[in-house]
Amino acid sequence: MVLFIINFGLIFNYVFAEDNKLRYKFSFIFGGMGDQDGQFMNPHSIDIDRNGNVYVTDTGNNRIQKFNSDGKFILKWGETGSNDGQFLKLHDVAVDPSGKYVYTLELTNHRVQKFTSNGEFILNWGFESTGGRGSDRTPHQLSIDSNGFVYLSDMNGNQILKFDKDGNFIKSLGSKGSREGQFIHPHGIVFDSSNNMYVTDMGNYRIQVFDNNFSLITQWGSYGNGPTQFLKTFPGIDYFDKENILVVVDKTSANVKLFDNKGQFITNFGTKGKEDGQFNRPEDLAVDPKGRIFITDTGNSRIQVFDKIQ
């Protein structure tokens, strides 16, 4: 087994907020380009369970890799193919709130697969014919609420799809447009502990927040580089319940932004590059139980971890 972990926790590489009230420190990196245990080829998505275990879609190698909270390799599963437990263009991973089940989403196989936290296959389901639509369904991310319902963000269909834990389709939410409750290329999706749903509505350059009845609570964002603005692609999103903080990665600007649950800007960090604290096409992020932010630095084939300092 070959594992590359670079720990720079003793190097004081701080990233400061604009108001200097909240800042993040680069902590460590794990990964590196390759196909050995602990290495990645274009890692795309990431999620973290309640115990701090980290799951990464190693998209170029068509597998899931699981790590502990320090970035040490635990196990892997998957290979190229279309059979149970195999993947083609693996795009997203999500752990249910109990930590027992792991869900994956593939673009080429057009399906969701459900596994135990140790990678044992349970079931899969497709979504092309859901909601009266055909093969233009193209979900890109998934998320699970506290009741175990699975939600997919359908970019081309401009809707959110809802399923039960066994893959039975329940309903679709939203339509194409720029009004409240409509979307243009929705991508990131996450729930807080109250089952409020946060969606990155990328084509409208905004975040929309809904309650569990899909009634709009709030929205914010516009096109640009400002504190509450976004560029073309901001796919990754996560919510830290302990402090009611929403974290969003802007892939185009290689920047991470933090907001409160009402959309008030808190801080941001990150620039384009290959150095510590810099990113090349960051696709996704996840916040662990300690409040650390794990970011898939996709173009650099690594995971970067940041600690909060106050």
Side-chain angles (χ1 to χ4, degrees), residues 16-242:
F16 291 89
E18 292 182 357
D19 60 9
N20 207 29
K21 293 181 181 179
L22 180 67
R23 59 185 179 176
Y24 279 79
K25 179 185 73 171
F26 168 80
S27 184
F28 65 94
I29 289 170
F30 61 96
M33 185 174 291
D35 59 6
Q36 302 299 307
D37 294 348
Q39 295 181 325
F40 305 112
M41 291 291 292
N42 295 317
H44 190 277
S45 296
I46 188 169
D47 204 6
I48 300 175
D49 68 21
R50 60 194 301 176
N51 296 316
N53 295 309
V54 181
Y55 300 80
V56 181
T57 61
D58 185 8
T59 301
N61 290 314
N62 283 308
R63 64 185 181 183
I64 295 290
Q65 293 200 70
K66 180 179 179 179
F67 302 84
N68 71 8
S69 60
D70 296 320
K72 295 182 179 179
F73 175 82
I74 297 175
L75 59 86
K76 65 184 177 184
W77 72 87
E79 59 183 1
T80 302
S82 300
N83 294 326
D84 296 344
Q86 296 180 329
F87 304 111
L88 282 177
K89 205 170 183 181
L90 178 60
H91 199 73
D92 196 26
V93 62
V95 188
D96 83 323
S98 73
K100 295 180 179 179
Y101 304 111
V102 177
Y103 295 81
T104 63
L105 176 63
E106 300 163 77
L107 298 187
T108 298
N109 283 328
H110 300 285
R111 65 182 180 183
V112 174
Q113 294 195 71
K114 182 178 180 180
F115 302 88
T116 68
S117 60
N118 291 322
E120 297 174 2
F121 173 82
I122 299 174
L123 59 87
N124 64 44
W125 71 84
F127 38 72
E128 290 185 346
S129 61
T130 54
R133 296 180 68 96
S135 59
D136 59 344
R137 288 285 190 203
T138 57
H140 274 61
Q141 282 204 356
L142 53 80
S143 187
I144 300 95
D145 70 14
S146 65
N147 296 313
F149 292 108
V150 180
Y151 295 74
L152 310 182
S153 59
D154 182 2
M155 281 190 63
N156 281 0
N158 297 298
Q159 292 183 323
I160 306 299
L161 309 180
K162 182 178 181 179
F163 300 83
D164 69 17
K165 61 183 176 60
D166 297 317
N168 298 305
F169 176 70
I170 298 175
K171 63 180 178 179
S172 59
L173 309 169
S175 60
K176 184 177 182 179
S178 300
R179 296 180 180 179
E180 294 180 357
Q182 294 183 317
F183 307 103
I184 298 178
H185 302 318
H187 196 288
I189 180 171
V190 71
F191 291 88
D192 63 22
S193 60
S194 299
N195 281 335
N196 296 316
M197 180 173 65
Y198 300 74
V199 182
T200 61
D201 183 10
M202 294 197 304
N204 288 314
Y205 308 103
R206 66 185 178 184
I207 305 291
Q208 293 197 74
V209 187
F210 305 90
D211 64 20
N212 56 9
N213 293 315
F214 203 62
S215 297
L216 185 75
I217 298 174
T218 188
Q219 61 177 310
W220 69 89
S222 59
Y223 180 80
N225 281 309
T228 59
Q229 293 181 314
F230 304 99
L231 294 178
K232 183 177 180 180
T233 309
F234 50 108
I237 188 171
D238 201 10
Y239 193 88
F240 185 47
D241 274 296
K242 290 181 181 178

